[in-house]
Amino acid sequence: MEFEKIIPASRLAAAPHENGFSIDRAVLAVFAEQAFKRLSFTFPQEHLESLVQVAADPASSENDRLVAIKLLENAVIAAKGSLPLCQDTGVAQVFAWKDAAVSSITQTAEAQTENQTAGFSSDSAALTSGIGRAYKENNLRFSINMPSSLFDEKNTATNLPAQIDIFSTDNAALCGNGAEEHIQEPSYRFLFCAKGGGSSNKTDFTCATKALLNPQSFEQFLKTKIAALGTAACPPYTIAVVIGGLSPEQNLLTLKLATTGYWDAVEQLNTADAGLHWTDSIGGVRPLRCREWEERIVHIAAETGLGAQFGGTHLAAHARVFRLPRHGASCFASIGVSCNAHRNLVGYISKEGAFLQKNIADPQPFLEKALRAVRQNNEAALHTGTSVLHNAEPVAIDLGSLAAARTALSRYAVGQAFLFSGDILVARDAAHARWKALLESGKPLPEYTLHYPILYAGPAETPAGAVIGSFGPTTANRMDPYADELMSRGAALITIAKGNRSELWRTACKKYGAFYLGTIGGAAALIAEKHITARTVLDYPDLGMEAVQLISVKDLPVFLITDDKGNDFYASLKRV
């Protein structure tokens, strides 16, 4: 892992002290701003390599390879710094470990004048300020709703508050068998995360018993939970599993850090003996890593057949399994994922300055490597006669007539790929809730709901000169409760989103002759730049990114998931 110095030592503080150093809190604001800008547009090398591996794997389905290529194309576009990697630029989260020998000071009057900003009363306030600037100035999405009562809320229009957890540590590191200690250089270590709602929603926590602690029971537990993940959180995933914990909170924090790759970074950095000790425990407990089960989880994920969103073997790119101590009466078990928009970054501040993990500024060579691998796989398949999953060419569909589009879709089996061109209505949770309120008050649905397919999405902020900000689908099944209310009135007869849907929606599709199609999750910069040609806000502008909009698309790639006969593509793939 490589780091880049982004703030020199001379700017850290005005007052060094014995055995440690001070940090001007203005530095923390700049540090956080740069971290969230970097992780919103670029990936680390390991993540890009994992997408190349999906494209290169002979066992990958054609759709696995397609998704991998599109995600790498997306990374190339996002790295230009205008359209973020994903439309859901996430909840901003900061985990920090601050040694006792490190202190923070409020900006000096001179620094305040130079930076034209007020002093910060706490580290959290400084980090929050930097995060707010990053979201405001980089076309990121404002997704956070602040409650005014138990049931009422409003978008903050800043993406704040951020989740900031700062842990006090010392700079003593255990040596050998832990019987002695030595002093490491004091530092302030950080993990910056942008966690999207779709992948957070896949977190599963179970209060199990000791009956789980045998290979047969644990494997069945994994098969059940991994199959239930589905594809709505944008695979290929990093799947993390944590068993045990002295409390539910310890278990879930270990899980959270596992999904970000933090434990891998700690292992790598502490082994490198770079003079800093990265915290490798939670509440004084070092998690036990169970590598033998990590390979098994990747295999179980492949056996689901769900693949990298549209069938195949690459539901999971990586897995991490950890075991913690437990109370004899408790056996906590959790599972969580990081989606393909893997936005996590480590950094640290020491006497030498402030350092951020390096990401790849130009992913083009990774895309080219993946394309070469796909060509080689295709040539090998031609020579051997090997078949790949879902090899049919995409069919172009003109959305000028909703009735004609439905007639065309009805001719094809689930799994078929299409290229949609025409006008599409964009609406998601908040708009659907308002439509439901209209119906409950005896009013009709807005006329526009009857004339277009509906795509569930909430775009990021629009860059200057662009048609729209980063744009990708949100999870389909959150809108499932509206099935009969909408379809019975002629709305939602073609919907587009990501992930599987419930039996309620499938039944309604069969009853009303409706269709559900999936488009690629995690390719938001690509969709915005290559496939959306116009955009108009139609209704509810006060909802911000959840306003009802009309977009024009050209050759938007979609896959038929549920047809008008009630057939379901994902149900046909189940293998475990």
Side-chain angles (χ1 to χ4, degrees):
M1 182 178 295
E2 293 185 64
F3 289 91
E4 176 185 7
K5 183 186 289 189
I6 64 167
I7 302 174
S10 60
R11 288 186 56 198
L12 288 187
H17 58 82
E18 185 178 0
N19 296 325
F21 64 96
S22 297
I23 301 172
D24 193 323
R25 288 194 176 107
V27 169
L28 296 179
V30 173
F31 196 49
E33 180 181 5
Q34 291 300 312
F36 278 93
K37 180 178 180 180
R38 179 170 296 187
L39 64 80
S40 295
F41 294 94
T42 60
F43 284 132
Q45 180 174 333
E46 312 86 77
H47 184 73
L48 295 170
E49 287 175 343
S50 71
L51 294 175
V52 173
Q53 177 56 37
V54 174
D57 186 356
S60 294
S61 71
E62 182 175 334
N63 285 353
D64 281 336
R65 295 186 189 116
L66 171 65
V67 170
I69 293 297
K70 293 300 182 183
L71 294 178
L72 286 166
E73 290 177 355
N74 185 72
V76 170
I77 294 170
K80 298 174 186 176
S82 179
L83 293 164
L85 290 158
C86 179
Q87 81 286 344
D88 185 354
T89 49
V91 177
Q93 300 172 335
V94 180
F95 298 91
W97 294 264
K98 185 179 184 181
D99 285 339
V102 179
S103 61
S104 305
I105 62 172
T106 301
Q107 280 184 304
T108 62
E110 180 182 356
Q112 288 180 35
T113 301
E114 179 184 344
N115 292 288
Q116 297 182 331
T117 185
F120 299 110
S121 59
S122 67
D123 289 9
S124 292
L127 293 165
T128 296
S129 174
I131 293 166
R133 285 203 303 267
Y135 274 79
K136 180 180 179 181
E137 296 177 9
N138 292 284
N139 309 313
L140 307 187
R141 196 177 83 178
F142 305 141
S143 304
I144 305 302
N145 295 314
M146 182 69 76
S148 55
S149 71
L150 182 61
F151 304 110
D152 300 309
E153 59 186 11
K154 185 177 181 180
N155 193 296
T156 63
T158 61
N159 212 60
L160 299 174
Q163 177 187 341
I164 299 175
D165 294 296
I166 302 175
F167 304 93
S168 296
T169 58
D170 58 35
N171 55 318
L174 295 177
C175 298
N177 61 8
E180 53 182 296
E181 295 182 343
H182 69 275
I183 301 300
Q184 299 274 344
E185 285 293 322
S187 63
Y188 203 165
R189 285 93 58 207
F190 294 84
L191 170 64
F192 299 99
C193 311
K195 185 71 168 177
S199 54
S200 276
N201 291 346
K202 291 301 177 181
T203 304
D204 182 274
F205 179 81
T206 302
C207 292
T209 69
K210 185 174 173 55
L212 180 64
L213 300 181
N214 64 77
Q216 295 75 26
S217 296
F218 187 52
E219 177 147 345
Q220 187 55 51
F221 169 84
L222 292 174
K223 287 183 176 182
T224 301
K225 296 296 185 182
I226 290 170
L229 290 174
T231 62
C234 302
Y237 298 135
T238 293
I239 300 177
V241 177
V242 178
I243 303 299
L246 301 175
S247 67
E249 295 78 13
Q250 185 183 56
N251 177 289
L252 287 169
L253 181 53
T254 304
L255 178 78
K256 171 65 181 182
L257 297 180
T259 63
T260 68
Y262 176 77
W263 301 115
D264 298 74
V266 165
E267 185 176 291
Q268 181 180 344
L269 293 166
N270 285 350
T271 302
D273 192 23
L276 303 178
H277 177 71
W278 289 74
T279 304
D280 58 1
S281 62
I282 293 292
V285 175
R286 290 177 178 172
L288 173 67
R289 186 167 174 178
C290 306
R291 296 178 187 271
E292 67 276 14
W293 280 96
E294 294 176 357
E295 184 177 343
R296 181 63 187 138
I297 283 178
V298 173
H299 182 69
I300 291 171
E303 288 181 326
T304 66
L306 294 171
Q309 302 189 31
F310 302 107
T313 59
H314 284 279
L315 181 68
H318 310 283
R320 298 294 180 262
V321 180
F322 291 95
R323 178 71 157 85
L324 294 167
R326 68 182 187 91
H327 185 284
S330 304
C331 186
F332 306 123
S334 61
I335 183 169
V337 303
S338 179
C339 65
N340 64 51
H342 187 71
R343 295 162 298 178
N344 307 285
L345 202 69
V346 294
Y348 68 91
I349 302 175
S350 69
K351 289 180 180 180
E352 283 69 43
F355 298 79
L356 273 181
Q357 176 185 346
K358 276 189 175 181
N359 276 356
I360 299 297
D362 179 14
Q364 184 68 34
F366 295 87
L367 172 59
E368 292 171 358
K369 184 177 180 181
L371 288 169
R372 286 195 299 271
V374 168
R375 286 194 293 268
Q376 290 167 1
N377 278 322
N378 288 342
E379 290 170 2
L382 285 173
H383 285 303
T384 62
T386 305
S387 63
V388 289
L389 189 62
H390 317 306
N391 197 26
E393 287 295 314
V395 175
I397 295 282
D398 185 343
L399 301 175
S401 164
L402 196 63
R406 289 170 61 202
T407 299
L409 290 172
S410 189
R411 301 190 189 109
Y412 295 92
V414 292
Q416 174 65 45
F418 297 92
L419 298 176
F420 274 5
S421 297
D423 293 338
I424 297 176
L425 195 68
V426 178
R428 50 175 279 170
D429 307 66
H432 280 70
R434 289 197 177 178
W435 295 342
K436 179 178 175 62
L438 286 175
L439 297 176
E440 289 176 342
S441 65
K443 298 177 182 178
L445 289 170
E447 183 69 17
Y448 57 71
T449 62
L450 308 179
H451 301 299
Y452 307 101
I454 300 176
L455 196 163
Y456 308 149
E461 294 295 295
T462 304
V467 172
I468 198 168
S470 285
F471 183 100
T474 196
T475 303
N477 62 21
R478 296 201 308 271
M479 267 51 74
D480 285 4
Y482 303 103
D484 271 288
E485 289 173 308
L486 296 181
M487 291 186 195
S488 64
R489 292 170 172 84
L493 297 179
I494 299 177
T495 53
I496 309 163
K498 63 176 181 174
N500 52 293
R501 307 203 74 155
S502 67
E503 183 62 33
L504 175 68
W505 193 271
R506 295 192 293 270
T507 299
C509 282
K510 183 177 182 180
K511 180 178 180 181
Y512 298 105
F515 301 85
Y516 163 58
L517 300 102
T519 193
I520 298 172
L526 174 68
I527 291 173
E529 183 169 291
K530 299 294 186 183
H531 298 292
I532 298 179
T533 61
R535 169 211 188 193
T536 303
V537 175
L538 287 186
D539 208 354
Y540 311 139
D542 60 298
L543 295 179
M545 64 93 175
E546 293 200 72
V548 176
Q549 302 171 61
L550 188 69
I551 61 171
S552 298
V553 302
K554 180 175 176 56
D555 294 334
L556 178 70
V558 296
F559 298 81
L560 183 56
I561 305 300
T562 307
D563 66 13
D564 55 346
K565 306 163 191 66
N567 298 312
D568 182 80
F569 173 65
Y570 290 123
S572 70
L573 297 174
K574 290 181 180 178
R575 301 180 188 173
V576 296

